[in-house]
Amino acid sequence: MAKIGVADNTGMKFCKDLIDHWIGKGHEVKYERGASEYLAQWADLYYVEWLEGNINYLWKIYNGAEGVSRTPDWDNNKKPKIVCRMIDWDVWNAYVPFYEKQYIDFIDQGIVIAPHIEKYILEKAPDWKGKLKLIRPGVNMAKFAPKKAKTDGFQLGMVLGDMWMPKNHMGGLDIFTQLYRKDNRWRFHIRGQHEGGTPYWKIMYDHYIESRGLKDVVTLYDQVDDMNLWYEKIDVLLHPGMKEAFCYAVGEAMSKEIPVVVNEFFGAQDIWPKWILYQTHNEAIEKILNPYKPFLYREYIQNNYSLDKYLKETDDYLGT
């Protein structure tokens, strides 16, 4: 059994299932949000989620950088296998430049979650070839079972998290407004919060809701403890995002046999089936009004993004 350290500044946002799986297999797993010199000396494998400050910190402690602490009995030769999963914004923003040889040499194995991310990295840094693996995420289909609640068929959902511009919340609002003006039975449920960005983003949102007469038909949920229960009230999920590598909300809704309609962002055709993608707002409305058979959505997740498939591929690649 292996000793596995995990660093993830987002609080296990996307890797909780993997950690639970490793513990279930008998591995000893220790997690800290930030990279730790103690775990680096303890672990056989150090799994780092996102290519950002945690990787840079580990690189610094193994390269004797000034101002970085070490354990009293630090052994520079005791380096665990360093694994980094590069997900999305960490690649595009390059807080830790993935193309710099010092990081390519330091990281033993890399993981990406979408083909367009893999292609971009390999084109810009060919030295990653042979140590970079595409492993698509996994949706816990047991947790997100087919929807049971009976709704009226007019409940549109949108899951955004931080409502910053690439999430395209205003585009989603415009689609709903057109839908609502066609049939005023529609209601809009938005899981999101106004964090980050500039104050104008919230002013812009509030003005839109007020000026279009939507205050009574749009609900904003800034915190949801049980997303599975939240999905039960939704008939269709709209995802208007302009930048993604994967969207768990889309995968979870599809697993629940809820129709989804997704903007064709860069890379989308290598992630999602063409029949859920839209290019114009009119196309989005058409797909919302004419969904496919519910089982087809869950079937797509089962074939492409099941949790079992993701865990097996990860174990096979990392030797865990």
Side-chain angles (χ1 to χ4, degrees):
M1 297 296 103
K3 293 184 290 186
I4 304 174
V6 177
D8 176 10
N9 278 331
T10 65
M12 299 184 286
K13 183 178 180 180
F14 299 133
C15 65
K16 181 67 165 58
D17 286 325
L18 180 61
I19 291 172
D20 291 343
H21 167 71
W22 280 336
I23 293 172
K25 291 187 71 174
H27 297 304
E28 188 177 359
V29 181
K30 294 184 179 181
Y31 160 79
E32 292 187 19
R33 292 184 75 99
S36 161
E37 65 272 19
Y38 293 95
L39 290 190
Q41 292 285 280
W42 169 83
D44 302 311
L45 182 153
Y46 210 144
Y47 177 92
V48 182
E49 192 88 317
W50 306 93
L51 180 66
E52 37 80 269
N54 283 330
I55 281 290
N56 189 44
Y57 182 82
L58 289 172
W59 182 88
K60 284 181 176 180
I61 62 175
Y62 276 99
N63 286 273
E66 292 185 9
V68 179
S69 62
R70 298 183 178 193
T71 61
D73 57 347
W74 179 266
D75 181 356
N76 214 51
N77 293 316
K78 191 176 181 183
K79 175 180 175 288
K81 179 163 67 173
I82 304 290
V83 175
C84 181
R85 185 161 77 153
M86 296 165 273
I87 298 177
D88 184 14
W89 57 258
D90 48 333
V91 174
W92 302 117
N93 290 325
Y95 293 125
V96 173
F98 66 84
Y99 45 81
E100 288 191 1
K101 197 169 189 309
Q102 67 184 41
Y103 297 114
I104 299 173
D105 291 343
F106 182 72
I107 298 169
D108 296 290
Q109 290 175 277
I111 298 172
V112 291
I113 68 173
H116 66 289
I117 302 291
E118 178 185 38
K119 182 180 178 182
Y120 178 70
I121 290 174
L122 290 175
E123 284 179 349
K124 194 162 183 178
D127 286 346
W128 275 106
K129 190 172 184 180
K131 60 191 304 184
L132 188 68
K133 175 76 171 176
L134 169 63
I135 301 178
R136 295 176 186 267
V139 175
N140 189 335
M141 299 184 71
K143 179 179 179 181
F144 296 99
K147 176 183 168 181
K148 295 180 180 178
K150 299 297 181 183
T151 45
D152 61 6
F154 296 96
Q155 307 302 316
L156 184 67
M158 185 167 70
V159 178
L160 300 173
D162 291 346
M163 293 167 64
W164 62 310
M165 295 305 288
K167 293 295 185 181
N168 196 24
H169 54 292
M170 300 307 296
L173 278 173
D174 185 66
I175 289 169
F176 172 75
T177 302
Q178 294 183 54
L179 192 66
Y180 177 70
R181 289 178 177 177
K182 286 177 178 288
D183 189 330
N184 64 11
R185 289 176 293 179
W186 281 96
R187 299 294 182 267
F188 202 16
H189 305 268
I190 304 173
R191 167 47 207 114
Q193 65 277 334
H194 294 286
E195 293 184 6
T198 71
Y200 182 74
W201 293 1
K202 183 178 186 305
I203 293 170
M204 176 175 60
Y205 172 88
D206 290 342
H207 169 75
Y208 191 101
I209 296 292
E210 182 72 33
S211 64
R212 273 69 171 178
L214 303 177
K215 285 188 68 175
D216 296 331
V217 296
V218 175
T219 305
L220 181 65
Y221 306 76
D222 62 1
Q223 180 63 43
V224 174
D225 294 327
D226 187 343
M227 284 302 297
N228 182 57
L229 187 61
W230 188 87
Y231 291 128
E232 288 286 318
K233 69 179 71 176
I234 301 304
D235 293 306
V236 182
L237 186 80
L238 170 66
H239 184 66
M242 298 185 292
K243 183 195 70 61
E244 294 286 354
F246 183 73
C247 175
Y248 272 94
V250 172
E252 290 162 0
M254 291 179 75
S255 180
K256 290 184 68 64
E257 297 187 345
I258 295 171
V260 298
V261 179
V262 178
N263 179 43
E264 191 182 312
F265 55 85
F266 173 63
Q269 290 206 5
D270 291 324
I271 301 172
W272 302 115
K274 189 173 183 179
W275 44 272
I276 72 170
L277 302 178
Y278 71 87
Q279 294 185 342
T280 69
H281 288 187
N282 285 339
E283 288 178 5
I285 292 168
E286 182 66 22
K287 289 180 181 291
I288 290 169
L289 295 175
N290 297 282
Y292 286 77
K293 294 184 182 300
F295 76 88
L296 291 174
Y297 299 91
R298 184 172 173 88
E299 185 178 83
Y300 184 83
I301 298 302
Q302 179 64 60
N303 292 339
N304 296 276
Y305 293 106
S306 75
L307 183 60
D308 288 344
K309 185 172 185 284
Y310 158 67
L311 295 174
K312 183 180 186 307
E313 289 185 3
T314 303
D315 281 340
D316 289 347
Y317 180 53
L318 301 183
T320 51

